[in-house]
Amino acid sequence: MSKSQYLLSRKTIGLLGLFVIVLCISLLANKIPRIATKILHLPSEIQRIVKFNLSPNIAVTSRDKISIQPLTEMRATSATGVLRVNPTNPRYFTDGGGKAVYLTGSHTWSNLQDSGGSPFPPKFDYATYLGFLQKNNHNFFRLWTWETSGPWIQTTVKNYWFYPIPYQRIGSDKALDGEPKFDLTQFNQAYFDRLRERVKEAGNRGIYVSVMLFNGWSVDNGKGNFHSSNPWRTHPFNKANNINGIDGDFNGDNNGEEIHTLVSPAVTAIQDAYVRKVIDTVNDFDNVLYEISNESNKDSQDWQYHMTTYIKNYERRKPKQHPVGMTAFDELKSNSPLFDSPADWISPIGDIDERPVASGKKVILADTDHLCGICGNNPQWVWKSFTNGENPIFMDAYDNAFVLGSTLINQAPPDSLNYSPWVVLRRYLGYTLTYANRMNLAAMTPQGDLASTGYCLANPASSGAEYLVYAPSGGRTIVDLSATKHELVAEWLNPSTGIVTSGIKTAGGGNRSFFPPFSGEAVLYIKDASPTYSQS
């Protein structure tokens, strides 16, 4: 047996032994799905060991004028065109100028409707929120809507309200919340004026907004095994709450899940009219996306497909056509209905720590909301998601105002704004936006086999090459530069400090070993050094 074969044998046996141990531990911890994923990844990890540890590589020591300075933020100051799926790299959007548009940011639950302990709750400080997003270099958020007047299912305080609601309340007859009943044929213009103003203000700061149209947490009396309150009680489509004779509870179980299906043409017609009103309100803005519904039930597929197609057909008559998205179905463990849908973008379920490689079938907004809920204590997932071709976003408890008086208080940290893992997570999202804007992202695809770490976003071209590599544990990082013939320059980002060390030079043509000048996780950016190359 040759020396290289012997080393390969030892490496392989050791790796297999390690996975057996991890498998046993995980079985005891009831983590079968994650372990199954690790087993599937085993062949590729063995291949990387062979490629990078048993093949020749050259250590990169050539340095020019070393520069050590903070990472300079890069972001668009305004939307420069309506987004559409990038035809050359459908993992991302484009604004029509040929440049890929990467979306990332934080969203929170009260950023459209105020919520709290009276029919007219304290106003959410929207300007401060937008400043918070800018400070963290974010360019996207979901604009949440709640269909009910309140409370919602996880609210332990019964005197809890959402304002404004899309429909007018008129007359002397009282709804179940003690206020006048809704007229489902008359819109509350205050809701749509606020919607328009908030989208406009975000656009003025270069921030894209996904306008949420419906919310699965507003119709179900037992979603997620939470039963603190029944949101259906105050829903406008509850027969006790409207003057129009609309009864959305067709089976009489005190639950309104049926209105997120096509079972009633009358209900769907009212919803279609509402969707038209939303589109009429914001169609002229470039920074708009639409989201059909947040986590509607598993039976809502046909209804969501209808709404997606309805938006696209209605906007064809309008000056602008915007992307339409769908998020994970509640209680459905498959993402197939999302990938098979007519939607332009999706937010699937999955494991936050094991981000899959985006194929480009859909633009993926990897949202912690659907991956793990109120979470994200290990911010490394941001870089893993980014280098795998996704657009990571974060469901943020923000100022904790929304979680007060709800079961969420047991999940969110006492001071969410200053909670250290989330401070880091928000900063990482902003760092990825900077690199997305520095790179020719339209030409880059996830190619984990080009780096010893398994996390690499790359354009391994002979000219104009770029590589963005994430090293979760830091240390020596080997990159396959065999496809690149030009001289290359490289830099290290220390994500824990935001400090960039640049001025590193190397040449392509084979495996190259890079050594970060600091300990811990690291980001390595390599690009063509040719002065004739310019990014689009």
Side-chain angles (χ1 to χ4, degrees), residues 378-388 428 432 448 451-457 467-475 477-479 492-496 520-525:
N378 182 1
Q380 289 192 343
W381 75 269
V382 172
W383 292 104
K384 294 177 181 180
S385 179
F386 177 49
T387 53
N388 279 345
Y428 282 9
T432 63
S452 58
T453 65
Y455 297 103
C456 181
L457 198 59
Y467 304 79
L468 193 287
V469 179
Y470 177 55
S473 301
T477 299
I478 309 173
V479 186
W492 285 102
L493 168 69
N494 184 342
S496 66
E521 61 180 323
V523 177
L524 174 64
Y525 176 44

Side-chain angles (χ1 to χ4, degrees), residues 241-518:
N241 296 331
N242 66 75
I243 67 171
N244 312 98
I246 292 295
D247 181 7
D249 183 8
F250 306 111
N251 60 9
D253 65 351
N254 202 25
N255 188 322
E257 284 188 334
E258 299 95 314
I259 68 170
H260 288 184
T261 71
L262 296 173
V263 68
S264 170
V267 166
T268 303
I270 294 171
Q271 292 170 329
D272 287 348
Y274 157 73
V275 169
R276 293 195 300 271
K277 177 67 171 176
V278 170
I279 294 172
D280 293 343
T281 300
V282 299
N283 176 263
D284 58 319
F285 295 123
D286 287 344
N287 64 317
V288 170
L289 302 86
Y290 297 109
E291 175 184 334
I292 301 303
S293 184
N294 173 59
E295 296 184 353
S296 282
N297 66 83
K298 57 184 175 58
D299 298 321
S300 67
Q301 175 181 307
D302 291 344
W303 173 78
Q304 294 205 51
Y305 285 11
H306 160 80
M307 288 297 172
T308 303
T309 304
Y310 189 83
I311 292 169
K312 291 176 178 288
N313 289 339
Y314 187 65
E315 279 210 315
R316 286 194 183 101
R317 310 176 226 168
K318 296 284 186 178
K320 299 181 179 182
Q321 294 77 46
H322 301 91
V324 185
M326 289 173 53
T327 67
F329 291 80
D330 183 53
E331 297 181 351
L332 189 65
K333 304 305 180 184
S334 170
N335 289 314
S336 295
L338 296 180
F339 283 102
D340 295 339
S341 75
D344 302 297
W345 63 271
I346 61 172
S347 287
I349 59 172
D351 186 338
I352 191 170
D353 295 316
E354 300 289 345
R355 301 310 310 134
V357 174
S359 67
K361 186 174 182 179
K362 299 286 185 185
V363 177
I364 295 178
L365 273 61
D367 190 347
T368 56
D369 184 13
H370 318 300
L371 300 177
C372 55
I374 299 178
C375 59
N377 291 353
N378 182 1
Q380 289 192 343
W381 75 269
V382 172
W383 292 104
K384 294 177 181 180
S385 179
F386 177 49
T387 53
N388 279 345
E390 297 183 320
N391 301 252
I393 60 176
F394 176 48
M395 186 171 72
D396 198 336
Y398 184 54
D399 61 1
N400 279 62
F402 189 86
V403 304
L404 297 176
S406 79
T407 56
L408 296 180
I409 196 67
N410 299 319
Q411 302 173 47
D415 182 5
S416 293
L417 271 177
N418 299 304
Y419 180 52
S420 178
W422 291 2
V423 171
V424 173
L425 189 160
R426 297 175 189 123
R427 189 170 67 241
Y428 282 9
L429 294 173
Y431 290 165
T432 63
L433 180 61
T434 287
Y435 278 104
N437 285 326
R438 286 179 61 186
M439 301 184 297
N440 181 16
L441 191 62
M444 302 187 75
T445 57
Q447 301 193 45
D449 59 335
L450 294 181
S452 58
T453 65
Y455 297 103
C456 181
L457 198 59
N459 174 24
S462 59
S463 177
E466 290 181 284
Y467 304 79
L468 193 287
V469 179
Y470 177 55
S473 301
R476 184 181 70 157
T477 299
I478 309 173
V479 186
D480 179 357
L481 303 177
S482 58
T484 302
K485 307 306 178 186
H486 286 195
E487 182 182 55
L488 299 161
V489 293
E491 68 182 39
W492 285 102
L493 168 69
N494 184 342
S496 66
T497 63
I499 299 298
V500 172
T501 303
S502 58
I504 304 165
K505 287 189 174 182
T506 187
N511 292 346
R512 301 291 182 263
S513 291
F514 296 83
F515 300 86
F518 50 85

Side-chain angles (χ1 to χ4, degrees), residues 10 23 133 212 293 457:
R10 289 193 62 186
L23 174 61
L133 296 177
M212 188 186 295
S293 184
L457 198 59

Side-chain angles (χ1 to χ4, degrees), residues 116-149:
S118 73
F120 299 96
K123 287 189 175 182
F124 178 78
D125 190 340
Y126 186 65
T128 297
Y129 172 65
L130 292 181
F132 160 82
L133 296 177
Q134 282 186 294
K135 179 182 177 181
N136 285 284
N137 200 37
H138 296 176
N139 72 340
F140 172 83
F141 66 90
R142 296 165 72 196
L143 193 66
W144 280 74
T145 193
W146 300 89
E147 299 180 39
T148 65
S149 62

